[in-house]
Amino acid sequence: MAIFKFTMAAEVAANLKSVFDKISLAVVKRAPDYQYFEPRLVAVSKLQPTGKIVSAYEAGQRHFGENYVNELVEKASNPLILEQCKDIKWHFIGNLQRNKVNKILSVPNLYIIESVDSEKLANTLNNSWPKFQRSNDSKLNVMVQVNTSQEQEKHGCDIAQVSNLVKYVIQDCPNLKFIGLMTIGKYGYDIANGPNPDFICLTKCREKVHNELGIDIKNIELSMGMSNDYEQAIELGSTNVRVGTAIFGERPQKNN
């Protein structure tokens, strides 16, 4: 068992180093307009065992993303995580139903909700956060999720409504802090066909929000890019990439 744990930890650390090396190469290829920030790596630990999260943390990773409310609550409250990963920062990146808001806000070390896709959800988060905020003046970091691929089965606000939703968060939700925009995008896009249209769309949404609401473009992050396309996403201006299998390996099957 000890040998297995050592091997697992070594594999996660090696994968993590490989991803960081590729991020560094992608950063060099960026346009001058994108040179003012270092991209953030979010290790997506969906369905992965706690031991792999600890291994990644011990290798220097701090930001972790989860898609399912119950799984995040369970992992964030795990004694091993609480003891060995004190500075962990959790990103919730999945679809969030309003009846589960209190559950997700109770998570220790919750860093951000990346998937705000409606005024109703924003309002529920805003009203609930005071019960959970760590200090009297702390706000909940949020991103507005955009359905850039316009697929019916995908979550995210409509492209045409992005500025309205961002404006609502900023003006009507004093307990929330707008950080940026997020997209999932269409699965399986072949980057050999050129720049991912979902990435291009999200950068245009950022420009739209900047122009219509007067927000400094440097204060609008872009969360886009996953294991198969994070390098191109960084080249196109992503500030936040969500990488899972490239770090942890293939995901186990979800138990229903």
Side-chain angles (χ1 to χ4, degrees):
M1 179 63 82
I3 295 175
F4 172 76
K5 286 184 178 179
F6 177 80
T7 302
M8 181 183 71
E11 286 180 356
V12 169
N15 291 343
L16 200 54
K17 182 182 183 305
S18 176
V19 170
F20 274 119
D21 288 345
K22 290 177 180 178
I23 288 175
S24 297
L25 290 173
V27 161
V28 174
K29 298 177 183 178
R30 294 183 302 179
D33 289 349
Y34 300 139
Q35 296 295 334
Y36 64 90
F37 64 87
E38 287 297 319
R40 180 191 302 109
L41 172 62
V42 178
V44 180
S45 45
K46 176 173 84 171
L47 302 180
Q48 299 291 352
T50 302
K52 286 191 175 183
I53 297 174
V54 174
S55 294
Y57 185 92
E58 290 177 344
Q61 180 63 22
R62 291 296 177 268
H63 291 265
F64 292 81
E66 288 286 340
N67 290 67
Y68 305 121
V69 173
N70 290 344
E71 185 177 1
L72 175 52
V73 170
E74 185 179 330
K75 285 178 176 174
S77 304
N78 185 291
L80 192 65
I81 297 287
L82 291 172
E83 177 61 32
Q84 299 191 28
C85 308
K86 295 185 183 299
D87 295 322
I88 198 168
K89 294 176 172 62
W90 292 109
H91 294 230
F92 186 73
I93 58 178
N95 176 46
L96 180 58
Q97 297 172 318
R98 283 182 288 152
N99 63 353
K100 292 190 176 180
V101 160
N102 284 348
K103 216 172 195 181
I104 204 73
L105 295 186
S106 69
V107 165
N109 294 313
L110 179 66
Y111 179 75
I112 190 170
I113 305 291
E114 290 197 23
S115 48
V116 175
D117 59 1
S118 69
E119 290 185 2
K120 288 182 178 179
L121 177 57
N123 187 56
T124 303
L125 288 166
N126 179 69
N127 291 337
S128 297
W129 181 240
K131 293 180 286 186
F132 300 94
Q133 62 187 158
R134 311 307 183 244
S135 62
N136 291 334
D137 59 349
S138 68
K139 295 187 176 188
L140 174 66
N141 294 328
V142 299
M143 285 185 176
V144 165
Q145 181 176 353
V146 187
N147 185 358
T148 54
S149 60
Q150 298 182 295
E151 296 170 275
Q152 287 190 343
E153 67 273 18
K154 285 280 191 345
H155 297 283
C157 75
D158 188 85
I159 295 167
Q161 295 301 316
V162 175
S163 291
N164 289 338
L165 182 49
V166 171
K167 183 178 180 180
Y168 182 83
V169 170
I170 293 172
Q171 293 190 352
D172 296 279
C173 301
N175 297 315
L176 306 184
K177 181 178 181 180
F178 170 70
I179 296 295
L181 307 174
M182 181 271 248
T183 189
I184 300 294
K186 187 176 290 187
Y187 292 115
Y189 177 77
D190 186 353
I191 60 175
N193 295 325
N196 189 320
D198 290 306
F199 298 165
I200 299 297
C201 179
L202 200 67
T203 60
K204 288 181 177 178
C205 287
R206 175 168 65 174
E207 291 171 9
K208 191 168 183 284
V209 170
H210 162 68
N211 291 329
E212 294 181 358
L213 302 182
I215 303 173
D216 187 338
I217 210 157
K218 292 182 178 179
N219 293 330
I220 307 173
E221 290 200 25
L222 295 182
S223 177
M224 60 188 193
M226 296 185 282
S227 283
N228 63 327
D229 54 17
Y230 67 91
E231 294 160 88
Q232 189 193 57
I234 288 171
E235 290 180 36
L236 294 174
S238 179
T239 68
N240 189 85
V241 291
R242 310 180 304 271
V243 180
T245 55
I247 296 171
F248 298 112
E250 292 299 319
R251 292 191 188 102
Q253 290 295 313
K254 187 176 189 293
N255 293 322
N256 293 321

